[in-house]
Structures are given as C-alpha cells and as structure tokens.
Amino acid sequence: MGTIDQFRENFGEGQRVSLFTVTGNFPSGVVSGAGGGNLTELMVKSAQFPASTIGIIEVPYKGRKIKMPGDRVFAEWTATVLVDKDHTLHEAFVGWMDQINSHTDVESSGIASGLKADWVVSALAPDGGINQEITLVQCWPSEVGTVDYAWETTDTLAEFTVTFQFDYWESNATS
C-alpha cells in the first residue's frame, strides 16, 4: 500500500485546468487580422482534450455474444471563445465556414483544398512549459454558436462556442 509521500512524489504539482492554450491557423483569406495562434491563445476561454471511443462489434454465437473491438471514433471538439471589441475571431470562424459553404452560393458546398487546419490544445506547467499537447488533425468548424446579448446581464463578457470536426487527434506528450 502506498504512502502519502509516494503519492506526493508521483502526483507532483498536478495539472491546473486554467493553464492551457489553444493555437490554430485559419485558412488564407478568411479574415485579415485574425492573428492565427496568437489571438486564439488569448481569447479561447475554455477547451478540452477531445474524447475518442473504440466501437464494439458484437458477434453472436449460440445465444451468447462476444465483444470485439471495432473502429475508433473521434468526438467533435468544442471551444468557448471570448468576443473582442471588433469581433475578430467570431468573424474569422464565420468567414471560415463561409468558404466551406456560403450562405448564398449553394453550388460550392464541401471542403476544398486548404480549408482544413491542424489545431493544438496544450496543457501548461506553472512555469509556462508544456506538460502535454493534443493536435487535432484537419479541423474545420461545423458550428459557430450564438453570441448572446441581454440588458439584465451585468459583469459578463460576450462569448460564443465553436464546434469543430476533425479526422483524428495525436498526443504529443512531452513530459
């Protein structure tokens, strides 16, 4: 059985949920001044390492079923973004979606070359170093959420969510 000293040694400082960054690039020509990774590092309020699941294939045999591992599936990823005074990131995400499928040009739906990008979620150490990174490969926004305004709401900044689809993620552990 372990001791408290062994636990402390193995646990270290733990991982603080407020120490993270999200970086990514927008496709060229989306919105000038979107700032790429630098602005997302400052304005993404919350994010997470995304989930992945291995499906189950049930194989029946004489009234019983054995379970076999199936395909790996990656859940969508959502980030919450603060709205700056110029709505720069909101416009960048809307512009990105517009390049994928515009409001009026319904003949150009689909993802053209260059409209997907890798995004990175980094868990930071207290000294600013990187404890672990997850790279979301070939991301694209499938939903830009609402920006809510209300007269009775005070002491709150405007924010919105962005839901991304991606092909898969890679863990870049740097411990």
Side-chain angles (χ1 to χ4, degrees):
M1 177 177 258
T3 67
I4 191 70
D5 291 332
Q6 290 170 324
F7 173 76
R8 184 182 306 114
E9 170 109 10
N10 290 324
F11 190 71
E13 295 177 352
Q15 178 63 54
R16 296 183 184 205
V17 296
S18 61
L19 294 178
F20 74 97
T21 60
V22 174
T23 55
N25 293 307
F26 293 88
S28 62
V30 169
V31 170
S32 61
N38 292 336
L39 195 53
T40 60
E41 281 186 41
L42 296 173
M43 306 302 268
V44 173
K45 175 184 162 184
S46 67
Q48 61 286 123
F49 286 169
S52 69
T53 305
I54 295 179
I56 301 167
I57 302 170
E58 291 185 342
V59 182
Y61 179 75
K62 296 184 179 183
R64 302 275 191 246
K65 293 182 182 176
I66 60 169
K67 296 182 180 184
M68 305 288 293
D71 294 332
R72 191 168 193 173
V73 179
F74 297 91
E76 61 191 21
W77 175 65
T78 302
T80 303
V81 182
L82 295 172
V83 178
D84 66 300
K85 66 181 178 68
D86 297 323
H87 291 244
T88 306
L89 280 177
H90 187 266
E91 288 301 310
F93 287 116
V94 169
W96 189 355
M97 288 183 74
D98 197 47
Q99 283 192 2
I100 295 169
N101 189 332
S102 79
H103 294 204
T104 57
D105 185 10
V106 296
E107 295 178 7
S108 67
S109 64
I111 302 252
S113 176
L115 292 181
K116 291 183 174 184
D118 293 353
W119 281 59
V120 178
V121 182
S122 303
L124 304 177
D127 67 1
I130 295 172
N131 281 342
Q132 186 178 7
E133 286 185 331
I134 297 288
T135 301
L136 293 91
V137 177
Q138 296 292 292
C139 288
W140 55 277
S142 60
E143 179 181 350
V144 175
T146 62
V147 179
D148 294 326
Y149 298 102
W151 284 355
E152 70 271 2
T153 304
T154 59
D155 299 328
T156 302
L157 296 174
E159 61 187 41
F160 63 98
T161 59
V162 180
T163 302
F164 290 88
Q165 304 299 323
F166 58 96
D167 293 344
Y168 59 94
W169 55 259
E170 296 174 336
S171 175
N172 304 328
T174 58
S175 50

